[in-house]
Amino acid sequence: LKPIIWDDNENKLTVLDQSVLPFQKVFVELRTPEDVADAIRLMKVRGAPAIGITAAYGMVLAVLRAENLNDVIKLMHDAKSVMDKARPTAVNLSWATSYMLNRAREYIEKGEAKDVKELITLLKKDANKIFDDELEAEIQMGLYGLEKLNPGDVVLTQCNAGGLATGTGLGTALAPVKLAHILGIDVSVIAPETRPWLQGSRLTVYELMEEGIPVTLITDTAVGLVMYKKMVNSAMVGADRILADGHVYNKIGTFKEAVIAHEMGIPFYVLAPVSTFDLKSSVDNVKIEERDPDEVRTVRGVPIAPENVKVFNPVFDVTPPKYITAIITEKGVIYPPFDKNVRKIIEK
Amino acid sequence: LKPIIWDDNENKLTVLDQSVLPFQKVFVELRTPEDVADAIRLMKVRGAPAIGITAAYGMVLAVLRAENLNDVIKLMHDAKSVMDKARPTAVNLSWATSYMLNRAREYIEKGEAKDVKELITLLKKDANKIFDDELEAEIQMGLYGLEKLNPGDVVLTQCNAGGLATGTGLGTALAPVKLAHILGIDVSVIAPETRPWLQGSRLTVYELMEEGIPVTLITDTAVGLVMYKKMVNSAMVGADRILADGHVYNKIGTFKEAVIAHEMGIPFYVLAPVSTFDLKSSVDNVKIEERDPDEVRTVRGVPIAPENVKVFNPVFDVTPPKYITAIITEKGVIYPPFDKNVRKIIEK
């Protein structure tokens, strides 16, 4: 599973188009930051870490346009501003573009890059390192998460927080299950379809079936019953943004899973790299992205409702810390009280 | 809105095919109990009360086949057994077929029907009375439910517990909203789409838009967020079966709505006629119906997942009494403790 491919020789960025999976397996080349922004907006690339990695390479693509070092900062600024708007909720996106911009500034100011070519070489290393760090973080999260799994466990997830979402092929929420599978431990997954965009039925199911991990698909309406019937031992989900007090922004539907898990006494774990944490914002000032109403009125282009019906289509929700058993990061497992412990782990 | 039409002169049963709404408005004639069973199984007729009414007419259709009174009980027995199997969870179905069978037995034993023709006349009256009683019960539930609404309220529902579901055009869960609208009180509805069968996006939205009642469609994943954001003042749902201790069987997804409403301090009301109550069964022995996995793998015939994915497709769930604010019946409003108060109201 290779959803993001960077060709270091050709400076070519190719991504697996997640908007048509699993029905078609199409790779698209992204040549400019505008291409990257479009791909993110059209959800060809999706999942917070995958978006971050792709945007980092997008910043390299911006520099390819520079004729000399004087152009670079302006070009990267423009690229950042185009790409940051593509998915406002995903903190990894602006984190990655800011990071690349700051690195470029440093290289130029310190004289480490004497021309555009040298700068590109340095920035490519940085973008590659974001990818490598992500994969390493996922392996680490997977190992921490593995401690929460027992042989025979069934894990409920939500959306796709797998290797497609992170771009590495491993994933965040699915990392423990995948490591368990590699180690020969028998675990399986229940995947809710995750309307409107069907990341569960299209991507999580595809990804797990490709790797031979047993998975059962359910509708979003059945999430409650599988917990009521104790058909799952734990829930593991990803995150798009985590606040200092433990509020978790993730794919719409996560909140309901957390509340029911809490009520049914089922452990609810959030798995996310430290780059997902936003220690500055508070729950009152994070805006929840709403998308095109037609995503709800139709499924894969087929109408499912009267065409002029009014629609509310939020794509994320927020889960208060009360409902979260632990947040699993590459730096360690964070337990409640989150308002104290998040900073302890993240800032260490 | 006339989803069930019985022609008393021609003895003809016609139903609005709910499986193709709102895209096509097709009426189908049901000539035999087997036709009725098929229509219920294929969900051309759906909703517990509508199924009950249709099955009652189905029992009349069975008697139309009789040559003399000696044939009747056997024919009705066979019809009952064919129709009862079509939707095992809906208690109204076997209630209606048993009722009609018992009435026929009485008419014959007491000599009130001297031939098949007389029996048919009597049984038609009984079936019509089931319809009329249902409508009257809905008006009564609507009036009780109206007391729980304030001007400007937004009501969250689930599935379709409207006039399509009951066959009367009014409905159970939607009755208070409809009466409010008739009385000029400004209320609106948020309808979750209710996968896999999309009763929310197809039927509830259609029915409310037809009547000019404001409705907003959401995905099933957004049910939590609308409650978290306090965008709704109450939740009102129907029921397929209610036990003596207050356990409510209803469309898959009801349980999660109830748990979140409870957690967010939003009143959660179940509206159902007394015919929905099953005072004999316990939560351990009610089987939850599972339907064809392809209902989950596809939406309106379009694939949304790898075609061979394993699926769990339960179509009802069970909500424990703890999460229910009140059960609104035509005989009155039942408050906790349900294990005491259900019998008080239902058996009065």
Side-chain angles (χ1 to χ4, degrees), chain A residues 52-347:
Chain A
I53 292 167
T54 312
Y57 287 119
M59 293 297 270
V60 177
L61 296 178
V63 183
L64 294 180
R65 289 167 168 176
E67 300 208 349
N68 59 61
L69 282 185
N70 296 333
D71 303 345
V72 164
I73 299 303
K74 166 96 172 66
L75 282 167
M76 289 182 83
H77 240 299
D78 293 349
K80 172 178 168 55
S81 113
V82 164
M83 292 190 292
D84 282 1
K85 277 183 213 129
R87 283 311 288 284
T89 313
V91 74
N92 307 54
L93 174 53
S94 61
W95 177 87
T97 54
S98 297
Y99 177 81
M100 294 298 284
L101 181 60
N102 289 336
R103 294 295 277 175
R105 252 192 213 117
E106 277 176 39
Y107 292 136
I108 295 169
E109 280 166 14
K110 292 186 182 165
E112 290 173 40
K114 290 187 193 70
D115 56 27
V116 171
K117 210 182 146 206
E118 279 183 22
L119 183 65
I120 290 169
T121 305
L122 288 165
L123 289 177
K124 286 199 295 191
K125 270 190 197 151
D126 288 327
N128 288 336
K129 192 168 177 304
I130 292 178
F131 182 99
D132 293 342
D133 287 352
E134 175 62 37
L135 181 57
E136 203 177 298
E138 289 168 17
I139 293 168
Q140 201 52 252
M141 278 182 265
L143 291 171
Y144 284 124
L146 207 50
E147 290 168 23
K148 308 296 182 193
L149 290 180
N150 294 303
D153 269 10
V154 181
V155 177
L156 179 66
T157 188
Q158 164 69 353
C159 191
N160 173 260
L164 290 165
T166 64
T168 63
L170 184 58
T172 53
L174 297 184
V177 164
K178 289 194 176 186
L179 292 188
H181 182 72
I182 291 166
L183 296 171
I185 301 166
D186 163 40
V187 286
S188 64
V189 174
I190 291 184
E193 60 184 10
T194 314
R195 278 274 291 149
W197 221 67
L198 299 168
Q199 290 93 335
S201 60
R202 293 194 306 105
L203 305 178
T204 297
V205 161
Y206 168 81
E207 177 172 341
L208 293 172
M209 285 174 81
E210 284 277 301
E211 301 191 358
I213 299 171
V215 56
T216 302
L217 175 64
I218 59 171
T219 58
D220 298 312
T221 45
V223 160
L225 186 67
V226 299
M227 288 195 264
Y228 176 85
K229 289 181 76 172
K230 298 283 160 73
M231 289 168 68
V232 299
N233 304 90
S234 62
M236 293 190 170
V237 304
D240 286 77
R241 189 186 287 249
I242 303 174
L243 305 188
D245 63 1
H247 276 86
V248 170
Y249 290 80
N250 191 41
K251 180 56 51 198
I252 189 77
T254 301
F255 168 66
K256 72 167 159 36
E257 231 179 82
V259 172
I260 298 166
H262 179 259
E263 193 65 21
M264 297 289 114
I266 294 168
F268 187 86
Y269 302 111
V270 175
L271 292 95
V274 296
S275 60
T276 313
F277 285 78
D278 168 3
L279 302 185
K280 285 175 195 156
S281 299
S282 82
V283 74
D284 299 320
N285 58 29
V286 177
K287 194 175 143 37
I288 288 181
E289 180 186 352
E290 290 176 35
R291 289 175 60 92
D292 187 343
D294 280 340
E295 287 185 352
V296 178
R297 293 185 190 120
T298 61
V299 174
R300 300 196 65 214
V302 174
I304 61 153
E307 61 181 346
N308 49 344
V309 64
K310 189 179 162 198
V311 162
F312 174 56
N313 184 23
V315 285
F316 297 98
D317 62 23
V318 52
T319 300
K322 172 183 173 184
Y323 305 108
I324 297 164
T325 308
I327 304 172
I328 299 175
T329 76
E330 73 274 34
K331 285 194 177 177
V333 181
I334 312 175
Y335 294 98
F338 294 113
D339 52 358
K340 285 190 185 146
N341 294 341
V342 162
R343 283 186 193 277
K344 263 190 215 161
I345 299 275
I346 298 307
E347 291 177 342

Side-chain angles (χ1 to χ4, degrees), chain B residues 189-204:
Chain B
V189 173
I190 291 184
E193 61 185 8
T194 314
R195 278 275 291 147
W197 221 66
L198 299 167
Q199 289 94 335
S201 61
R202 294 194 305 105
L203 305 178
T204 297

Side-chain angles (χ1 to χ4, degrees), chain B residues 75-105:
Chain B
L75 282 166
M76 289 182 83
H77 240 301
D78 291 351
K80 173 178 165 54
S81 113
V82 164
M83 293 191 290
D84 282 1
K85 274 182 215 132
R87 283 311 288 283
T89 312
V91 74
N92 308 53
L93 174 52
S94 60
W95 177 87
T97 52
S98 296
Y99 176 81
M100 295 297 284
L101 182 59
N102 289 335
R103 294 295 277 175
R105 250 193 214 118

